[in-house]
């Protein structure tokens, strides 16, 4: 019996057939669903009409309609991966006339002015730059050093001259106000908080164990804790004349980092959080007693404690008080949670709210998965971090050394926050005798916050196509070996 051809061979065969040849002008006529949406990559022409709805990056794909993908893909280098080229290959319909091939390939790299980064960071993507520290280092410091604090950029890092910098504020019932960096540092009281910032995609890689998700392959360290100082957003909004009886429901933020169309990174938060007396939302200019590093938003960023990283807009350019949420791609078509039943062919981003406060989280940072422990050791120390969104304090971390059959309570770092303002993580540890009679151990941790929210025990029931909000029990398997 003849074996079924593998998909790779099918692709190869497909590539060998001869294709019609098109000019750039002919391709440029295909920009709409009616005419078909065509794009080019190098010397090939693709009809992607049927892919547009399935595109994980949303409508942005239409920017390339009728033209070349290269300038956009040099901006969003997430595309330079095998699985993306495989998708593209399915839509090939033709080839470009040889004299038309060269034209678009000469792109100036928008990433040529990126800052230098600490070599210990594990790079998830270079352009845009995304990286996390080794998890063993993460739990060594209550305040994460700036140099190894995870970096999550969606676009090139903007170059900002602090003297030229202006923050623009506008919206419902406000005066339009422009503030210099000095204004922000001198006109308003300096407020300092210690707050943990966590990306919605922290621990995404564990979700791939259930089913492949789309996104950066974050490990356990897309999270960090820092001391932030700046002006209170509520003070600045009052200065701009924010009325008492305000209809607006949202505060929108725009960054200075822009995509190829000039559209900036953006996000919004509920105005309730922005104005709450104990909300502590900052326009921060310092991180751990230093000016903000370029990668973390120099010269000014929003810190929304208790709220998902994505709303903590860096390189802040503009604040808009509005009845509406931000229209940014990252507010509307990303950073939302879905049922495990939802996939890319039936997802409706309008059906879910934007993530704001994050759920209870805890992670084992030591020992690491697959570590070999020496059976001569008498004790083992398990370490980790624990944090909950919305200012909810972590009250307990339970640790199991036998896959969840029995539990012990870990020691928490003693920092007593005010009620509702537990913005910072707690580091925890537990030292126990090493079991002598065992060869393998599954260590688990799970945390509880002061509203008695708990973590789910496995990933499968919270799996979602974008791989966000993974707060399942943290598990580490170790072997105990004699020397
Ligand atoms: C036929 C052409 C295209 C294909 C096959 C394609 C495919 C994909 C795939 C598979 C992803 C998910 C990648 C991952 O996270 O592993 C993605 C994400 C994305 N794409 Fe595309 N894409 C195309 C064109 C474009 C164009 C022209 C733009 C911009 C102008 C664009 C913007 C984006 C953005 C913004 C994301 C999300 C990146 C993030 O996670 O922040 N795409 N695309
Ligand atoms: N202007 C701007 N702000 C941004 C982003 C961005 O790409 N551009 N990324 C967001 C996301 S998704 C996260 S998780 C945090 C990461 O902050 P950090 O890089 O300082 O760790 O910044 C947020 N603010
Ligand atoms: Mo994020």
């Amino acid at each position: 019996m003849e074996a079924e051809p593998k998909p790779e061979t099918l692709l190869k065969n497909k590539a060998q057939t001869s294709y019609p040849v098109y000019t750039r002008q002919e391709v440029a006529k295909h920009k709409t669903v009616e005419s078909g949406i065509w794009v080019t990559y190098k010397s090939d022409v693709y009809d992607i009409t049927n892919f547009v709805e399935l595109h994980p990056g949303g409508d942005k794909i239409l920017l390339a309609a009728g033209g070349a993908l290269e300038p956009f893909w040099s901006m969003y280098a997430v595309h330079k991966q095998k699985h993306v080229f495989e998708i593209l290959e399915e839509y090939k319909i033709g080839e470009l006339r040889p004299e038309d091939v060269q034209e678009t390939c000469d792109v100036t790299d928008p990433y040529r002015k990126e800052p230098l980064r600490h070599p210990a960071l594990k790079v998830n993507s270079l352009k845009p730059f995304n990286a996390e520290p080794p998890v063993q280092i993460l739990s060594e410091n209550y305040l994460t050093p700036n140099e190894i604090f995870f970096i999550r950029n969606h676009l090139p890092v903007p170059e900002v001259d602090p003297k030229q910098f202006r923050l623009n504020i506008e919206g419902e019932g406000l005066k339009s106000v422009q503030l210099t960096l000095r204004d922000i540092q001198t006109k308003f009281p300096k407020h300092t908080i210690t707050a943990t910032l966590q990306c919605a995609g922290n621990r995404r890689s564990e979700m791939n164990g259930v089913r492949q998700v789309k996104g950066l392959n974050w490990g356990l360290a897309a999270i960090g804790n820092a001391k932030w100082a700046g002006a209170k957003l509520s003070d600045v909004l009052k200065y701009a004349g924010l009325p008492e009886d305000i209809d607006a429901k949202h505060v929108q933020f725009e960054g200075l980092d822009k995509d190829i169309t000039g559209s900036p990174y953006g996000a919004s938060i509920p105005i309730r959080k922005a104005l709450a007396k104990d909300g502590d939302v900052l326009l921060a200019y310092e991180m751990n007693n230093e000016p903000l590093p370029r990668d973390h938003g120099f010269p000014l960023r929003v810190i929304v404690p208790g709220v998902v990283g994505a709303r903590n807009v860096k390189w802040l350019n503009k604040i808009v008080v509005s009845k509406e949420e931000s229209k940014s791609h990252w507010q509307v078509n990303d950073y939302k949670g879905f049922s495990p039943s939802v996939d890319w062919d039936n997802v409706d981003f309008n059906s879910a709210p934007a993530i704001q406060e994050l759920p209870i989280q805890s992670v084992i940072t030591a020992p690491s998965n697959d570590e070999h422990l020496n059976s001569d050791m008498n004790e083992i120390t398990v370490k980790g971090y624990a944090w909950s969104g919305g200012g909810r304090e972590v009250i307990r971390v339970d640790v199991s050394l036998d896959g969840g059959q029995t539990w012990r309570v870990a020691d928490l770092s003693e920092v007593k926050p005010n009620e509702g303002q537990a913005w910072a993580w707690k580091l925890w540890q537990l030292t126990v005798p090493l079991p002598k009679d065992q060869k393998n151990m599954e260590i688990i941790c799970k945390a509880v916050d002061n509203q008695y929210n708990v973590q789910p025990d496995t990933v499968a029931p919270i799996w979602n196509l974008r791989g966000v909000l993974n707060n399942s029990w943290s598990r580490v398997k170790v072997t105990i070996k004699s020397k």
Side-chain angles (χ1 to χ4, degrees):
M1 207 176 78
E2 216 179 278
E4 280 214 353
K6 293 213 182 79
E8 301 90 72
T9 24
L10 282 177
L11 278 179
K12 257 194 218 123
N13 290 342
K14 209 173 147 190
Q16 278 159 13
T17 56
S18 71
Y19 284 97
V21 173
Y22 299 102
T23 62
R24 279 215 179 273
Q25 284 83 349
E26 283 168 313
V27 174
K29 287 183 196 139
H30 294 85
K31 291 184 171 179
T32 61
V33 176
E34 291 73 48
S35 61
I37 298 169
W38 292 11
V39 294
T40 64
Y41 188 77
K42 297 196 170 149
S43 59
D44 294 329
V45 179
Y46 304 90
D47 179 347
I48 57 161
T49 320
N50 296 329
F51 176 71
V52 168
E53 290 235 301
L54 308 176
H55 178 231
D59 278 357
K60 284 223 162 65
I61 191 171
L62 294 177
L63 291 169
L69 289 169
E70 282 90 343
F72 304 100
W73 283 10
S74 64
M75 172 75 84
Y76 302 104
V78 65
H79 295 94
K80 298 193 174 156
Q81 305 184 59
K82 190 159 160 260
H83 78 270
V84 178
F85 288 114
E86 280 169 5
I87 298 172
L88 189 61
E89 213 40 50
E90 286 174 39
Y91 298 95
K92 178 162 174 184
I93 54 156
E95 279 162 11
L96 269 181
R97 204 169 57 159
E99 56 265 48
D100 286 356
V101 174
Q102 279 296 316
E103 252 175 66
T104 60
C105 296
D106 184 26
V107 184
T108 347
D109 184 357
Y111 292 94
R112 68 195 176 282
K113 292 178 178 166
E114 297 279 290
L116 287 175
R117 279 112 182 185
H118 197 285
L121 286 171
K122 292 190 291 181
V123 177
N124 245 321
S125 96
L126 261 178
K127 302 177 179 185
F129 191 77
N130 287 285
E132 61 187 304
V135 74
Q136 296 83 349
I137 300 182
L138 191 64
S139 58
E140 280 171 14
N141 303 282
Y142 176 68
L143 293 178
T144 314
N146 292 356
E147 297 68 40
I148 58 152
F149 200 99
F150 84 98
I151 298 168
R152 201 306 175 222
N153 295 340
H154 291 82
L155 295 164
V157 175
E159 264 198 317
V160 188
D161 174 352
K163 293 209 182 72
Q164 302 295 315
F165 175 83
R166 297 289 180 280
L167 172 65
N168 303 282
I169 307 164
E170 59 183 58
E172 306 266 322
L174 265 71
K175 302 176 272 189
S176 281
V177 169
Q178 277 208 336
L179 296 170
T180 63
L181 187 59
R182 232 190 111 65
D183 288 337
I184 296 159
Q185 290 167 336
T186 55
K187 283 192 193 320
F188 308 97
K190 180 171 172 182
H191 193 72
T192 304
I193 60 169
T194 299
T196 293
L197 200 64
Q198 182 181 214
C199 181
N202 191 28
R203 304 181 63 192
R204 175 179 285 132
S205 54
E206 294 168 61
M207 283 210 171
N208 289 329
V210 175
R211 241 179 312 147
Q212 186 69 36
V213 296
K214 289 215 167 83
L216 293 165
N217 220 7
W218 293 113
L220 305 169
I223 186 168
N225 188 52
K227 202 166 104 185
W228 310 94
K232 273 198 181 183
L233 173 63
S234 56
D235 290 345
V236 175
L237 291 179
K238 272 177 214 137
Y239 175 88
L242 186 81
E244 290 281 319
D245 54 339
I246 180 168
D247 278 348
K249 297 269 183 300
H250 304 274
V251 182
Q252 307 176 358
F253 307 112
E254 280 180 19
L256 284 163
D257 47 339
K258 297 196 169 83
D259 71 13
I260 208 136
T261 64
S263 152
Y265 182 86
S268 61
I269 58 168
I271 200 154
R272 198 167 60 87
K273 170 70 176 167
L275 299 183
K277 266 212 179 71
D278 56 2
D280 283 342
V281 181
L282 296 189
L283 304 183
Y285 41 80
E286 277 176 23
M287 177 176 185
N288 293 327
N289 305 317
E290 285 169 25
L292 278 179
R294 275 188 71 205
D295 267 322
H296 299 289
F298 179 81
L300 194 70
R301 82 176 296 173
V302 190
I303 289 294
V304 193
V307 163
V308 65
R311 316 296 167 220
N312 292 247
V313 174
K314 305 192 274 191
W315 312 291
L316 186 63
N317 178 35
K318 193 170 173 185
I319 301 178
V320 182
V321 173
S322 170
K323 288 203 178 84
E324 296 184 352
E325 251 187 305
S326 163
K327 296 259 186 321
S328 153
H329 167 78
W330 294 280
Q331 187 81 14
V332 180
N333 289 319
D334 204 349
Y335 294 111
K336 293 185 171 184
F338 294 96
S339 156
S341 66
V342 172
D343 230 310
W344 288 103
D345 44 16
N346 63 3
V347 62
D348 172 9
F349 272 90
N350 293 320
S351 69
I355 300 169
Q356 296 283 347
E357 291 179 3
L358 285 173
I360 175 85
Q361 175 73 288
S362 70
V363 158
I364 298 168
T365 56
S368 40
N369 204 29
D370 295 331
E371 197 168 314
H372 297 293
L373 304 178
N374 186 342
S375 59
D376 292 345
M377 295 192 315
N378 288 324
E379 291 180 333
I380 166 178
T381 299
V382 187
K383 285 188 188 180
Y385 63 77
W387 179 78
S388 189
R392 292 176 286 272
E393 182 181 358
V394 170
I395 56 163
R396 203 183 74 225
V397 174
D398 299 325
V399 177
S400 172
L401 300 176
D402 53 13
Q405 292 176 56
T406 60
W407 299 89
R408 301 168 200 241
V409 176
D411 302 318
L412 294 176
S413 56
E414 246 335 295
V415 184
K416 192 71 198 154
N418 293 330
E419 167 74 32
Q421 291 178 300
W423 311 130
W425 68 14
K426 291 193 182 181
L427 299 180
W428 55 264
Q429 63 174 55
L430 178 73
T431 302
V432 282
L434 191 68
K436 289 285 164 209
D437 46 347
Q438 268 174 263
K439 285 209 176 76
N440 301 295
M441 258 202 305
E442 188 185 14
I443 310 176
I444 300 178
C445 81
K446 63 183 178 80
V448 185
D449 72 20
N450 64 352
Q451 308 291 319
Y452 289 98
N453 291 303
V454 294
Q455 299 176 240
D457 56 351
T458 53
V459 182
I462 56 166
W463 184 96
N464 60 89
L465 74 175
R466 205 65 173 89
V468 291
L469 301 169
N470 182 12
N471 69 332
S472 57
W473 292 0
S474 176
R475 295 163 188 266
V476 161
K477 289 199 170 118
V478 295
T479 15
I480 304 169
K481 283 200 171 140
S482 51
K483 261 206 281 201

